[in-house]
């Protein structure tokens, strides 16, 4: 279990900047679609896994999808508020979004546990896939908020990724926030495993 949790968080960490570059280059909506699809597929493989390698694949898909979602949701929120010149509301809206996410996660955990107790763990996990299935059509209807009024030639994916890593090198405050987030989330697996 510890090996799988470590793998999960390592994959997520490794994909944070590339997934952010993907969202910057191809759009936040597409990043959300990749996230929901990968996480949903990871959950299905997890529920049906009959050996170590399928379990490993499920964790790679699940954590990879999580990397595409994390950060993208707050960036989308900021972009949407900025499009309406409402950036000052970001802190409040992000707090509400975080609280709703934590509430939904908690309710989902309790409901999933009830379904698993009444049926099997496999059915409980597969029931959770419904949320991913419902997300995709909604995400296809999602409109991409404008992110900039500057008209420059769009960078390719490699250029966007290079720019992101260059920003991390040049801006210590940005790098320190990311390192703080890494340090903070390093303790999540221990909390889940030992709590």
């Amino acid at each position: 279990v510890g090996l799988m949790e470590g793998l999960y968080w390592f994959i997520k960490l490794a994909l944070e900047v590339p997934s952010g570059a993907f969202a910057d280059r191809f759009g936040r909506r597409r990043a959300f679609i990749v996230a929901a699809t990968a996480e949903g597929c990871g959950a299905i493989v997890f529920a049906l896994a009959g050996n170590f390698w399928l379990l490993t694949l499920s964790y790679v898909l699940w954590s990879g999808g999580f990397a595409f979602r994390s950060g993208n949701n707050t960036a989308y929120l900021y972009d949407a508020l900025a499009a309406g010149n409402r950036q000052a509301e970001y802190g409040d809206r992000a707090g509400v979004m975080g609280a709703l996410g934590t509430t939904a996660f908690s309710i989902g955990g309790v409901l999933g546990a009830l379904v698993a107790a009444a049926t099997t763990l496999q059915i409980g996990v597969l029931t959770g896939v419904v949320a991913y299935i419902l997300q995709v059509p909604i995400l296809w209807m999602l409109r991409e908020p404008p992110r900039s009024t500057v008209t420059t030639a769009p960078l390719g994916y490699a250029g966007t990724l290079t720019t992101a890593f260059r920003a991390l090198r040049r801006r210590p405050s940005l790098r320190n926030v990311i390192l703080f987030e890494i340090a903070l989330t390093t303790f999540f697996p221990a909390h889940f495993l030992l709590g």
Side-chain angles (χ1 to χ4, degrees), residues 112-186:
L114 292 173
V115 169
T119 59
T120 66
L121 179 59
Q122 186 178 44
I123 299 297
V125 173
L126 287 173
T127 302
V129 175
V130 171
Y132 296 113
I133 293 170
L134 293 175
Q135 284 179 41
V136 175
I138 293 168
L139 290 170
W140 276 110
M141 294 184 291
L142 194 68
R143 290 188 328 164
E144 193 82 29
R147 284 184 270 162
S148 175
T149 57
V150 179
T151 55
T152 58
L155 295 172
Y157 178 71
T160 303
L161 192 56
T162 302
T163 302
F165 280 114
R166 193 176 302 130
L168 286 174
R169 277 196 313 272
R170 290 184 181 166
R171 297 177 56 193
S173 60
L174 178 61
R175 187 172 57 246
N176 291 339
V177 165
I178 290 173
L179 290 174
F180 172 74
E181 179 69 19
I182 290 168
L184 189 62
T185 57
T186 298

Side-chain angles (χ1 to χ4, degrees), residues 53-118:
W53 298 113
L54 284 175
L55 185 63
T56 302
L57 175 63
S58 76
Y59 270 73
V60 169
L61 289 168
W62 221 337
S63 62
F66 184 31
F68 272 81
R69 182 171 39 89
S70 78
N72 191 45
N73 51 2
T74 53
Y76 183 90
L77 175 63
Y78 183 85
D79 292 344
L81 290 170
N85 203 22
R86 297 168 51 195
Q87 299 93 316
E89 298 176 32
Y90 175 76
D92 291 338
R93 302 293 180 189
V96 168
M97 186 172 74
L100 290 172
T102 300
T103 302
F105 184 79
S106 300
I107 292 170
V110 171
L111 293 177
L114 292 173
V115 169

